[in-house]
Amino acid sequence: MCPGYADNDQGVTVPPWKIKVVEPIALGPEPERRRALETAGYNTFLLRSEDVFIDLLTDSGTSALSQEQRAAMELGDEAYAGSRSFFRLEQAVRETYGYRHVIPTHQGRGAEHLLAKVLVEPGQLVPSNLYFTTSRVHVELAGGVWTDVSIPEAEDPESTHPFKGNLDLAALERVLAAAAPERVAFVRVEACLNMAGGQPFSLANLVGVRELTRTHGVPLILDATRISENALFIKDREAGHADSTLAGLIREIADLADGAVFSSKKDHFVPIGGLLAVNDDDLAERVRELVVVYEGFPHYGGLAGHDMEALAQGIHESTDERIVRHYVSQSAYLAGLLLERGIPIVVPVGAHAVFLDAKRFLPHVPQEEFPAQALAAALYLAGAVRSMERGIVSGQRGNDPYDGLELVRLTIPRRVYTQEHLAYVADIVTDVYERRELVPGFQMVYEPAHLRFFQARFEPRAPFLEPPREKSRAAAVR
Ligand code: PM9
């Protein structure tokens, strides 16, 4: 049980913190927003943050630090080797997740890179639930073959399956039976499956994956980036876990895997940092051999001593049910406002974001004209709300046929925005929904070689959200 929290009458958990330091934000006028969008090639990643009013691009590195984290940062030991801060971090990881070997990295993809270098041989498979952009690219750059074994519901935005992050155990068994162990590098299971809408796996499913990987002699690696929220969903949705503590569930999940990668920029409330944590001595040694090539000495892995202090404290806070529950209830609140207004979103509501379903939001824009990219741009133009495309731009490789999810992610930074901010976001989404026929498709005019969503540039195929709405919510605020 988790004492010490209260819900208000809109179902939002009252934040278990109060605000001590604030950062000013401002809404610029519509012509300036239009200019900023054109300069950014209609890609929200390329906007300047000073031109953004409510920044829901990502929950990555955008959390507010706690006073305890800031205080801990004063203790940062910046020694190149043998830093006290490293050993505090190692202890926090061991206590919370139980893994014996802890290798810090500059961020999550640093850990993914090292893992792929060490575990993946050319031609080997990496079965996983759906995909994550950076995770997949590192496996592919190492010559591996990403193999989706998610359940079909993961790609159905309207399915109310409570655990869309589950792996399809029958599909996994087929892959392992045909290829394991020589042709399978590892099985990857991502907590709160990002690209499907922040959807959790169930503990029962993870137990099933563990049994299969053990039978077939293949390592099981978690992407534990959002393990805290996944544990909370298990507590709330899976029979038999209502009385577990969040810390206990997190540990139970971690214990089922041979190791984990973390982008600590999410659940651990830090602006920078990642981790690779494993139990196997030999694997750890091979990773440490590469850390010095790509990240830094194994006692800092690309982080400053003060970063490791903030991270160690953040790990402790990530097991506090009141903090995690408040965070997840913010997504549910925003989703509730949008559902009341008939706006198509992914259900059930996930951990860290509300995902708009661009195929249903903009049915007149075919997927090859990037509806989610266009919708993200429209939200910015309408009210300086920054979101992220999670559709064909993020998911497609080369010119492969693609008909997967086409989503816009309204991602909620941790401990940053209030209910008023989220209500404003709901009004802007509603405004665009009411004018959706004014949002045309895009053409891509610049495509980078890797992870194209970060830096691609676009042009609208017709006048974009014109004429501007005189009495739009954003205009009224201005
Ligand atoms: N996720 C996100 O916004 C930031 C970069 S991609 C737009 O969701 C998982 C599940 C992630 C993740 C990053 C990484 C990589 C690994 N796994 O960004 O390198 O969600 O720290 O982590 C982002 P880093």
Side-chain angles (χ1 to χ4, degrees):
M1 296 301 286
C2 165
Y5 74 87
D7 292 343
N8 66 19
D9 60 8
Q10 273 127 4
V12 181
T13 299
V14 178
W17 36 259
K18 58 183 180 172
I19 298 164
K20 184 140 65 179
V21 179
V22 294
E23 174 182 339
I25 52 174
L27 174 65
E30 202 265 358
E32 274 181 24
R33 302 198 294 270
R34 194 175 283 274
R35 266 196 301 279
L37 197 57
E38 283 167 10
T39 308
Y42 292 83
N43 183 344
T44 53
F45 273 99
L46 302 180
L47 290 164
R48 289 174 174 233
S49 77
E50 66 186 10
D51 294 328
V52 174
F53 185 39
I54 308 292
D55 201 345
L56 305 188
L57 181 72
T58 178
D59 61 329
S60 186
T62 52
S63 311
L65 291 161
S66 66
Q67 61 181 7
E68 286 76 16
Q69 285 178 293
R70 293 189 65 93
M73 288 169 79
E74 290 298 316
L75 302 175
D77 175 356
E78 307 300 347
Y80 191 96
S83 160
R84 281 189 297 276
S85 303
F86 167 75
F87 293 107
R88 271 196 281 272
L89 172 60
E90 184 184 58
Q91 192 186 347
V93 175
R94 284 181 177 165
E95 278 171 16
T96 307
Y97 305 109
Y99 299 120
R100 288 195 300 125
H101 299 285
V102 180
I103 295 123
T105 57
H106 75 282
Q107 58 183 82
R109 71 199 73 176
E112 293 172 332
H113 176 215
L114 296 173
L115 189 73
K117 282 251 172 218
V118 168
L119 283 188
V120 180
E121 301 288 340
Q124 281 188 321
L125 311 181
V126 177
S128 177
N129 44 355
L130 215 59
Y131 77 102
F132 188 70
T133 53
T134 56
S135 324
R136 184 172 70 185
V137 81
H138 281 298
V139 165
E140 290 178 346
L141 288 172
V145 181
W146 196 268
T147 308
D148 176 15
V149 287
S150 53
I151 57 171
E153 288 86 348
E155 290 206 89
D156 177 358
E158 293 176 74
S159 158
T160 55
H161 193 296
F163 292 106
K164 288 179 173 181
N166 280 356
L167 271 64
D168 180 334
L169 296 180
L172 178 63
E173 175 144 44
R174 276 194 299 277
V175 171
L176 295 179
E182 298 82 15
R183 286 187 45 244
V184 180
F186 61 95
V187 173
R188 172 186 176 276
V189 179
E190 181 184 322
C192 281
L193 187 56
N194 198 351
M195 301 305 281
Q199 306 293 332
F201 53 71
S202 68
L203 203 55
N205 187 258
L206 190 63
V207 168
V209 175
R210 171 77 283 181
E211 281 166 9
L212 286 174
T213 51
R214 195 170 280 140
T215 306
H216 291 276
V218 170
L220 170 57
I221 304 291
L222 282 177
D223 183 326
T225 296
R226 296 184 180 86
I227 191 173
S228 298
E229 291 87 4
N230 202 120
L232 187 68
F233 284 129
I234 289 173
K235 182 172 161 97
D236 288 351
R237 295 181 187 172
E238 191 169 355
H241 300 292
D243 293 333
S244 306
T245 64
L246 196 66
L249 278 170
I250 289 170
R251 182 58 182 268
E252 236 177 291
I253 295 169
D255 279 348
L256 286 165
D258 297 301
V261 294
F262 296 80
S263 167
S264 292
K265 300 172 72 172
K266 284 81 167 173
D267 275 1
H268 298 154
F269 308 100
V270 285
I272 198 71
L275 296 166
L276 178 54
V278 295
N279 283 326
D280 185 77
D281 296 342
D282 180 56
L283 177 61
E285 196 170 312
R286 287 194 290 145
V287 172
R288 285 197 193 98
E289 283 169 4
L290 285 184
V291 169
V292 291
V293 179
Y294 293 110
E295 298 282 323
F297 196 71
H299 290 166
Y300 72 87
L303 298 176
H306 61 248
D307 295 329
M308 292 191 284
E309 293 286 352
L311 175 46
Q313 172 61 26
I315 288 173
H316 293 305
E317 292 173 22
S318 76
T319 67
D320 183 332
E321 185 177 327
R322 295 168 308 155
I323 294 176
V324 182
R325 196 171 279 289
H326 164 258
Y327 178 57
V328 169
S329 78
Q330 282 202 312
S331 299
Y333 167 70
L334 176 56
L337 295 180
L338 298 178
L339 285 170
E340 269 168 20
R341 300 170 198 188
I343 292 169
I345 64 168
V346 175
V347 290
V349 184
H352 59 303
V354 175
F355 290 71
L356 305 175
D357 182 359
K359 283 185 186 169
R360 284 183 290 152
F361 200 115
L362 299 178
H364 56 284
V365 180
Q367 194 162 24
E368 59 276 13
E369 293 184 13
F370 314 112
Q373 192 74 38
L375 178 52
L379 296 175
Y380 174 72
L381 187 57
V385 172
R386 173 152 69 169
S387 56
M388 188 191 290
E389 192 269 3
R390 299 279 74 173
I392 189 168
V393 184
S394 304
Q396 189 183 40
R397 279 166 294 182
N399 291 319
D400 287 356
Y402 186 90
D403 66 353
L405 288 162
E406 186 67 25
L407 309 176
V408 170
R409 193 181 70 177
L410 298 161
T411 337
I412 305 191
R414 290 168 183 74
R415 309 192 286 212
V416 170
Y417 290 118
T418 64
Q419 231 173 313
E420 294 97 309
H421 293 115
L422 298 179
Y424 170 83
V425 170
D427 290 348
I428 296 303
V429 177
T430 310
D431 172 25
V432 174
Y433 193 58
E434 286 167 358
R435 297 188 287 150
R436 58 192 177 278
E437 73 288 350
L438 301 179
V439 180
F442 279 1
Q443 57 186 351
M444 196 185 288
V445 293
Y446 166 63
E447 179 176 9
H450 300 293
L451 300 174
R452 63 183 186 173
F453 62 93
F454 279 125
Q455 300 179 89
R457 302 180 73 85
F458 302 85
E459 275 172 7
R461 291 175 170 269
F464 193 67
L465 211 56
E466 284 191 85
R469 181 181 255 186
E470 296 281 307
K471 291 201 184 98
S472 78
R473 186 75 175 194
V477 176
R478 190 172 76 234

